[in-house]
Amino acid sequence: MKLFYHPDQERHAPETFLLRGRPAPSPEGPVRAELLTRGLAEAGLSLTSPGDSGSDGERLRERLARIHAPRYLAFLETIHARWMALPEAAEIVAPNVHPCGGGHHYPRHPVGQAGWHLHDMACPITADSFAGILASAATAQAAAEAVVGGEHAAYALCRPPGHHAGPERAGGFCFLNNAALAATVLREGLDRVAILDVDLHHGNGTQDIFYADGAVWTGSVHADPADFYPFFWGGADETGEGAGQGANVNLPLPVGSDGAAFLAALDTLLERLDAFAPQAVVVALGLDAHKADPLAGLGLETEDFAAVGRRLAALNRPTVLVQEGGYPTEHLSHNLAAFMGGFQGA
């Protein structure tokens, strides 16, 4: 299995985000990559760089334009410079107004655009953020291209993560949807691809991107959004629309559910995935369902991630593993090592 990480991801390093109304240290920073790399080493694995994220920039940007709105991509690339030109602006882009209920027109002003595109206060943008965000996407692209090239499985250590990023919305630390990008690469040569999300949180951005697309099946097991982020998406009644009707499956779990409940739901989800008969699978690999995660909402133990890995390996389909959540604790490295051990049959 090939494993990828672009070091330019370190350039996105916001120090704080807003948590329950208070500035708090951001758990989504470069230390995550350090801990995840340590977990891979524990499993006997090592990372390689996909190369300069600008070396294949035209292809990457063309693929991103299939899943994200052009004005959103332009916003991510230009907003910090335009923000800094405002009188008395802070050094990070953070909105103070949102079009709750839906806006009637797209604003020209940077403050309005920030409110339009940044869904919550967990997506601060600094001067170097876009380079790090693009490097994360390039990492996912490299893993997907490795599978297209014949690898049975490949892993992308992506941070910032991506599954909350919709067609023109950032949220939950996510800016570009890496799992959707990987599926887009696979779809260039395949008729049916599945995205399986095992993160603590529902992948609302991924759902939005493919909700009417019957060629990409999306499934997620996660903490119930009635009581947990992202709150407004992820219910069991969200099943797709149009050509995508029936190709979106959500299995929300009560907050605090343990590993046995998670694995039982995952088994059900895998049955639904198998019925779709995808030719390849993208796994949105969250490790934040662990009981000690800083954003804890479920109660998995480290050994439960080994069981998740074994179940996904048993699909026996070409697989792109895209890192999503999982935040700094003494357990994070071991959680990834356990998953990789289970996935590789160790």
Side-chain angles (χ1 to χ4, degrees):
M1 177 167 59
K2 290 187 176 180
L3 303 94
F4 297 94
Y5 173 74
H6 198 300
D8 276 359
Q9 293 180 72
E10 297 176 11
R11 296 177 65 179
H12 177 64
E15 295 183 0
T16 63
F17 77 120
L18 202 64
L19 178 65
R20 301 187 183 100
R22 296 180 182 273
S26 178
E28 205 303 289
V31 68
R32 289 188 64 225
E34 296 174 16
L35 293 170
L36 293 167
T37 300
R38 198 177 303 166
L40 295 173
E42 186 179 331
L45 300 167
S46 60
L47 294 160
T48 59
S49 173
D52 181 4
S53 60
S55 65
D56 196 22
E58 184 176 348
R59 177 178 292 182
L60 177 61
R61 288 169 183 260
E62 187 275 327
R63 286 165 167 164
L64 288 171
R66 295 185 222 164
I67 58 177
H68 293 294
R71 68 185 183 186
Y72 175 59
L73 296 173
F75 165 84
L76 291 177
E77 187 167 9
T78 67
I79 185 57
H80 190 270
R82 293 187 292 124
W83 183 270
M84 292 304 297
L86 298 173
E88 301 181 28
E91 292 186 3
I92 61 171
V93 179
N96 57 268
V97 61
H98 292 93
C100 296
H104 291 287
H105 67 88
Y106 183 70
R108 182 166 51 239
H109 196 281
V111 171
Q113 289 182 4
W116 186 282
H117 293 299
L118 303 180
H119 170 75
D120 56 35
M121 298 299 290
C123 291
I125 296 175
T126 67
D128 281 343
S129 284
F130 184 68
I133 292 164
L134 201 62
S136 182
T139 301
Q141 176 179 254
E145 288 180 339
V147 169
V148 170
E151 291 287 325
H152 184 68
Y155 168 79
L157 199 173
C158 294
R159 65 142 307 270
H163 70 154
H164 295 307
E168 61 171 348
R169 180 184 64 243
F173 308 127
C174 302
F175 299 89
L176 296 174
N177 197 304
N178 299 316
L181 173 62
T184 297
V185 174
L186 295 174
R187 275 281 292 124
E188 290 172 358
L190 301 175
D191 294 327
R192 295 182 311 283
V193 173
I195 301 177
L196 177 67
D197 195 319
V198 296
D199 191 275
L200 165 65
H201 307 91
H202 175 250
N204 55 303
T206 311
Q207 173 176 293
D208 285 353
I209 290 167
F210 296 112
Y211 204 59
D213 186 347
V216 179
W217 181 95
T218 49
S220 178
V221 55
H222 50 268
D224 193 337
D227 301 300
F228 208 73
Y229 187 91
F231 294 114
F232 313 113
W233 306 270
D237 59 336
E238 298 160 27
T239 59
E241 65 184 14
Q245 180 60 50
N248 188 81
V249 182
N250 291 323
L251 297 182
L253 295 172
V255 172
S257 294
D258 63 10
F262 186 93
L263 292 170
L266 179 60
D267 286 339
T268 299
L269 197 60
L270 292 175
E271 290 176 5
R272 300 286 296 275
L273 181 154
D274 199 52
F276 179 74
Q279 296 157 289
V281 176
V282 176
V283 176
L285 178 59
L287 301 169
D288 44 0
H290 188 268
K291 64 181 183 180
D293 192 89
L295 305 177
L298 295 174
L300 274 65
E301 306 282 352
T302 294
E303 54 266 29
D304 292 321
F305 292 104
V308 172
R310 288 192 292 270
R311 282 163 167 77
L312 299 186
L315 291 171
N316 196 28
R317 288 182 170 90
T319 301
V320 183
L321 304 169
V322 176
Q323 189 64 55
E324 297 287 355
Y327 299 96
T329 68
E330 61 181 314
H331 305 282
L332 180 56
S333 300
H334 305 310
N335 294 340
L336 182 55
F339 173 85
M340 287 297 186
F343 188 79
Q344 296 189 112

